[in-house]
Amino acid sequence: MSPSAGVTRSTLRQQIADALRDEVLAGRLPPGREFTVKQIAEQYGVSATPVREALFDLSAQGLLASDQHRGFQVREFTVADYRAMAEARALVVEGLFRDPAERVAVRPEGLASIRRRAAEAVRAAKGGDLDVLIGYDLRFWRELGQFVLNPYIADFLTRLRVQAWVFAVHRLRRDGMDENVLWFGHEELVEAIARGDREQVHAEMRSYYGHALAWADRLEAREAEGNAIANAEANAIGNAEESADGPPGPGSAIPPESPGHCA
């Protein structure tokens, strides 16, 4: 294989992975949606090899689940998963800013771009534009993650943020967005980081994760209520069927014996 062919295939693999990730984040590939390598290859008009590699990349990132016989499907994250994501990010970020001189290097030249991302994310959140919000929010956290001196931590935080959006996107499209769900503190967080104000950074992050966990609480309560209603309806149907199929009661008529029947 020539070097150019290798680069082309690698680029195609990344392009396919990016395109599919965008489809998932836009909600056009909903949780549980199944597909095969062949279907995706035909959709994009490419060979199976870069598609298979892209799908395995997304599986490694936790966005897809794979099955040897059924192909791939968009992973379904639960409320418990989302809660665990928020708690994991909170613990890691709190540890990073406990001693930022060793773990975080704030470069003033990088702040201008992050401020723009923050402003656009807040504007999209307040305007209810989910697609724009997701794009700017992910760029905001990715660029902010470039200040983290440990690349493995930065990659981990970015991956969790993408997974959190995969969990959230179809729920937000279903239920709508408001200040009780979305967090608007991007700009305040950037300025606290720029000042080196660790206490304010922690306060903004607590606000951020507080929003996430409060939403998880409401979702859990709604799911519990829905399950209770479903169980009550199932019990009522079961009781009705049992009543219809059960033995005759004391007042039920007993059919007479046929004529000529000998006891």
Side-chain angles (χ1 to χ4, degrees), residues 6 16 29 31 35 74 86 95 102 120 140 151 164 179 183 187 194-195 198 203 205 214 246-247:
I16 295 169
L29 283 176
F35 47 84
V74 180
E102 295 181 2
E120 292 296 341
F140 170 81
E179 65 278 4
W183 179 74
E187 293 168 300
R195 294 193 305 270
R198 282 184 287 176
M205 293 308 299

Tab-separated table of all heavy atoms in Angstrom, residues 6 16 29 31 35 74 86 95 102 120 140 151 164 179 183 187 194-195 198 203 205 214 246-247:
chain	number	residue	atom	x	y	z
A	6	GLY	N	-2.738	4.915	2.300
A	6	GLY	CA	-2.952	4.760	3.738
A	6	GLY	C	-3.561	5.993	4.348
A	6	GLY	O	-4.484	5.913	5.164
A	16	ILE	N	-16.031	9.082	8.101
A	16	ILE	CA	-17.222	8.269	8.334
A	16	ILE	C	-17.588	8.275	9.813
A	16	ILE	O	-18.761	8.413	10.191
A	16	ILE	CB	-17.005	6.833	7.826
A	16	ILE	CG1	-16.841	6.842	6.301
A	16	ILE	CG2	-18.168	5.928	8.228
A	16	ILE	CD1	-16.364	5.525	5.732
A	29	LEU	N	-29.985	9.051	14.302
A	29	LEU	CA	-29.745	7.638	14.597
A	29	LEU	C	-30.087	7.447	16.071
A	29	LEU	O	-29.239	7.637	16.941
A	29	LEU	CB	-28.286	7.257	14.323
A	29	LEU	CG	-27.878	7.053	12.862
A	29	LEU	CD1	-26.390	6.775	12.758
A	29	LEU	CD2	-28.670	5.915	12.224
A	31	PRO	N	-31.204	5.884	19.850
A	31	PRO	CA	-30.739	4.753	20.657
A	31	PRO	C	-31.474	3.472	20.276
A	31	PRO	O	-32.687	3.472	20.070
A	31	PRO	CB	-31.079	5.177	22.090
A	31	PRO	CG	-31.071	6.659	22.045
A	31	PRO	CD	-31.609	7.023	20.690
A	35	PHE	N	-27.803	-1.354	12.587
A	35	PHE	CA	-27.370	-1.261	11.203
A	35	PHE	C	-26.129	-2.132	11.032
A	35	PHE	O	-25.489	-2.533	12.011
A	35	PHE	CB	-27.076	0.186	10.795
A	35	PHE	CG	-26.242	0.945	11.787
A	35	PHE	CD1	-24.864	0.846	11.784
A	35	PHE	CD2	-26.842	1.767	12.735
A	35	PHE	CE1	-24.098	1.533	12.699
A	35	PHE	CE2	-26.080	2.469	13.660
A	35	PHE	CZ	-24.709	2.344	13.633
A	74	VAL	N	-26.881	1.856	18.027
A	74	VAL	CA	-26.593	3.025	18.852
A	74	VAL	C	-26.847	2.663	20.314
A	74	VAL	O	-27.902	2.129	20.647
A	74	VAL	CB	-27.470	4.226	18.433
A	74	VAL	CG1	-27.158	5.438	19.308
A	74	VAL	CG2	-27.242	4.563	16.962
A	86	ALA	N	-21.787	12.308	34.924
A	86	ALA	CA	-21.684	13.612	35.570
A	86	ALA	C	-20.797	13.531	36.812
A	86	ALA	O	-19.947	14.414	37.042
A	86	ALA	CB	-23.071	14.130	35.948
A	95	GLY	N	-10.309	17.456	40.829
A	95	GLY	CA	-8.920	17.086	41.070
A	95	GLY	C	-7.949	17.903	40.241
A	95	GLY	O	-6.875	18.288	40.718
A	102	GLU	N	0.234	22.245	38.329
A	102	GLU	CA	0.812	20.983	37.874
A	102	GLU	C	-0.045	20.289	36.824
A	102	GLU	O	0.463	19.455	36.083
A	102	GLU	CB	1.002	20.033	39.064
A	102	GLU	CG	2.017	20.519	40.080
A	102	GLU	CD	2.188	19.528	41.215
A	102	GLU	OE1	1.535	18.467	41.156
A	102	GLU	OE2	2.958	19.812	42.135
A	120	GLU	N	-21.355	31.570	22.071
A	120	GLU	CA	-22.249	30.934	21.100
A	120	GLU	C	-23.061	29.810	21.748
A	120	GLU	O	-24.238	29.630	21.436
A	120	GLU	CB	-21.441	30.394	19.921
A	120	GLU	CG	-20.803	31.463	19.046
A	120	GLU	CD	-21.828	32.329	18.346
A	120	GLU	OE1	-23.002	31.917	18.236
A	120	GLU	OE2	-21.462	33.434	17.907
A	140	PHE	N	-16.385	23.886	22.909
A	140	PHE	CA	-16.000	24.616	24.122
A	140	PHE	C	-15.218	23.708	25.066
A	140	PHE	O	-14.110	24.027	25.501
A	140	PHE	CB	-17.251	25.154	24.812
A	140	PHE	CG	-17.010	25.704	26.188
A	140	PHE	CD1	-16.511	26.985	26.357
A	140	PHE	CD2	-17.284	24.948	27.317
A	140	PHE	CE1	-16.286	27.501	27.623
A	140	PHE	CE2	-17.072	25.449	28.586
A	140	PHE	CZ	-16.572	26.734	28.737
A	151	PRO	N	-2.988	14.368	28.477
A	151	PRO	CA	-3.862	14.144	27.323
A	151	PRO	C	-4.874	13.021	27.540
A	151	PRO	O	-5.947	13.019	26.934
A	151	PRO	CB	-2.889	13.805	26.184
A	151	PRO	CG	-1.663	13.294	26.876
A	151	PRO	CD	-1.580	14.051	28.162
A	164	ALA	N	-22.638	11.953	27.149
A	164	ALA	CA	-23.726	12.645	27.847
A	164	ALA	C	-24.707	13.260	26.851
A	164	ALA	O	-25.925	13.225	27.060
A	164	ALA	CB	-23.160	13.720	28.773
A	179	GLU	N	-34.199	26.487	31.313
A	179	GLU	CA	-33.095	26.752	32.240
A	179	GLU	C	-32.998	25.715	33.348
A	179	GLU	O	-31.975	25.630	34.037
A	179	GLU	CB	-33.238	28.146	32.851
A	179	GLU	CG	-34.464	28.342	33.737
A	179	GLU	CD	-35.729	28.651	32.946
A	179	GLU	OE1	-35.658	28.644	31.701
A	179	GLU	OE2	-36.766	28.898	33.578
A	183	TRP	N	-27.479	24.369	31.209
A	183	TRP	CA	-26.582	25.182	32.025
A	183	TRP	C	-26.021	26.311	31.170
A	183	TRP	O	-25.586	26.090	30.043
A	183	TRP	CB	-25.450	24.293	32.535
A	183	TRP	CG	-24.413	24.967	33.366
A	183	TRP	CD1	-24.529	25.395	34.650
A	183	TRP	CD2	-23.067	25.254	32.976
A	183	TRP	NE1	-23.348	25.931	35.086
A	183	TRP	CE2	-22.436	25.852	34.074
A	183	TRP	CE3	-22.347	25.060	31.799
A	183	TRP	CZ2	-21.110	26.267	34.045
A	183	TRP	CZ3	-21.028	25.465	31.754
A	183	TRP	CH2	-20.421	26.058	32.864
A	187	GLU	N	-19.546	31.123	30.080
A	187	GLU	CA	-18.738	32.340	30.096
A	187	GLU	C	-18.160	32.613	31.482
A	187	GLU	O	-16.997	33.018	31.614
A	187	GLU	CB	-19.590	33.521	29.611
A	187	GLU	CG	-19.966	33.395	28.142
A	187	GLU	CD	-21.029	34.394	27.717
A	187	GLU	OE1	-22.136	34.369	28.285
A	187	GLU	OE2	-20.736	35.202	26.815
A	194	ALA	N	-9.547	32.128	33.573
A	194	ALA	CA	-8.612	33.164	33.128
A	194	ALA	C	-8.013	33.919	34.314
A	194	ALA	O	-6.834	34.302	34.297
A	194	ALA	CB	-9.328	34.141	32.190
A	195	ARG	N	-8.810	34.136	35.361
A	195	ARG	CA	-8.309	34.837	36.556
A	195	ARG	C	-7.500	33.923	37.460
A	195	ARG	O	-6.850	34.397	38.395
A	195	ARG	CB	-9.492	35.395	37.359
A	195	ARG	CG	-10.279	36.484	36.682
A	195	ARG	CD	-11.211	37.165	37.675
A	195	ARG	NE	-12.094	36.217	38.355
A	195	ARG	CZ	-13.300	35.851	37.927
A	195	ARG	NH1	-13.748	36.337	36.773
A	195	ARG	NH2	-14.046	35.013	38.605
A	198	ARG	N	-9.510	29.609	41.618
A	198	ARG	CA	-9.879	28.208	41.795
A	198	ARG	C	-11.215	28.040	42.501
A	198	ARG	O	-11.999	27.159	42.165
A	198	ARG	CB	-8.777	27.478	42.570
A	198	ARG	CG	-7.575	27.118	41.717
A	198	ARG	CD	-6.575	26.318	42.509
A	198	ARG	NE	-5.872	27.159	43.472
A	198	ARG	CZ	-4.988	26.715	44.360
A	198	ARG	NH1	-4.730	25.422	44.428
A	198	ARG	NH2	-4.369	27.529	45.185
A	203	ALA	N	-16.956	26.592	42.047
A	203	ALA	CA	-18.353	26.996	42.200
A	203	ALA	C	-19.109	26.829	40.883
A	203	ALA	O	-20.255	26.344	40.855
A	203	ALA	CB	-18.436	28.437	42.679
A	205	MET	N	-18.309	24.823	38.394
A	205	MET	CA	-18.428	23.411	38.071
A	205	MET	C	-19.491	22.737	38.939
A	205	MET	O	-20.215	21.847	38.469
A	205	MET	CB	-17.073	22.716	38.239
A	205	MET	CG	-16.020	23.169	37.233
A	205	MET	SD	-16.560	23.087	35.501
A	205	MET	CE	-16.893	21.335	35.320
A	214	ALA	N	-29.650	17.241	38.986
A	214	ALA	CA	-31.050	17.587	39.243
A	214	ALA	C	-31.936	17.094	38.108
A	214	ALA	O	-33.061	16.604	38.334
A	214	ALA	CB	-31.200	19.096	39.423
A	246	GLY	N	-62.481	-17.089	34.996
A	246	GLY	CA	-62.562	-17.845	36.234
A	246	GLY	C	-63.820	-18.694	36.328
A	246	GLY	O	-64.704	-18.634	35.468
A	247	PRO	N	-63.932	-19.517	37.412
A	247	PRO	CA	-65.109	-20.390	37.589
A	247	PRO	C	-66.347	-19.563	37.888
A	247	PRO	O	-66.261	-18.443	38.361
A	247	PRO	CB	-64.714	-21.260	38.794
A	247	PRO	CG	-63.722	-20.422	39.547
A	247	PRO	CD	-62.973	-19.636	38.513
